Amino acid sequence: ETGVTQTPRHLVMGMTNKKSLKCEQHLGHNAMYWYKQSAKKPLELMFVYNFKEQTENNSVPSRFSPECPNSSHLFLHLHTLQPEDSALYLCASSQDPLAGHYEQYFGPGTRLTVT
Amino acid sequence: DAKTTQPTSMDCAEGRAANLPCNHSTISGNEYVYWYRQIHSQGPQYIIHGLKNNETNEMASLIITEDRKSSTLILPHATLRDTAVYYCIVRGRGTSYGKLTFGQGTILTVHP
């Protein structure tokens, strides 16, 4: 499945580092999403972008900063993270959800470890 | 969105049909039932969705009861690669931007 790609697949960073996660979708979709999946917890929605505009921020701490330069690319900039931020970060895309399209297509995720 | 209830885990023999139930007794008339699955350490995968009619695609069938208070996802010939966590999600249309609420799901184990 190469519709949604994420890089890097694995990332280890210290609490004072700054890093970025990248997501790219090749499906012609208009909406993109960031999810967090911690160990033994359900997926948690973090951010939603529709037509490059942020439409949802699910009370995410400011140390996570999303960026969506166009409908095909989504970034998650990370700085001064905490060890509890270690998780699998998943990107997804869909057609316009306001038109009722909730079939989301996920990337493989970035496994983040904060030391 | 309506809450869903799924069994924590299920087993299925390879080659047999896997029937995964989901209760959504508080579902309202405009809410759809979506199924996703997540194979270990991968991103979730969309499987199928429906409103009130039964649906079938190349992956699975979705049977929704007439009162829409429950549904069953059917994998007709389960393989070892179908071992995954299966999520049943109920979503209304026209509500908040594509927000899917994933619960704990059902861990399906397909054994030889």
Side-chain angles (χ1 to χ4, degrees), chain A residues 1-45:
Chain A
E1 181 64 57
T2 58
V4 181
T5 58
Q6 290 186 243
T7 54
R9 295 293 308 277
H10 300 272
L11 177 64
V12 179
M13 60 185 288
M15 294 195 302
T16 58
N17 291 158
K18 290 184 180 181
K19 296 286 184 183
S20 295
L21 309 185
K22 179 183 176 182
C23 176
E24 184 173 359
Q25 60 95 0
H26 310 274
L27 301 170
H29 289 163
N30 301 311
M32 297 188 77
Y33 310 77
W34 279 118
Y35 287 85
K36 174 185 178 182
Q37 189 171 34
S38 303
K40 302 190 186 303
K41 285 187 176 181
L43 276 81
E44 302 170 58
L45 179 67

Side-chain angles (χ1 to χ4, degrees), chain B residues 76-97:
Chain B
H77 305 286
T79 70
L80 299 179
R81 287 177 297 178
D82 292 321
T83 293
V85 181
Y86 287 77
Y87 299 100
C88 170
I89 301 168
V90 173
R91 277 296 299 151
R93 297 215 161 175
T95 51
S96 65
Y97 281 81

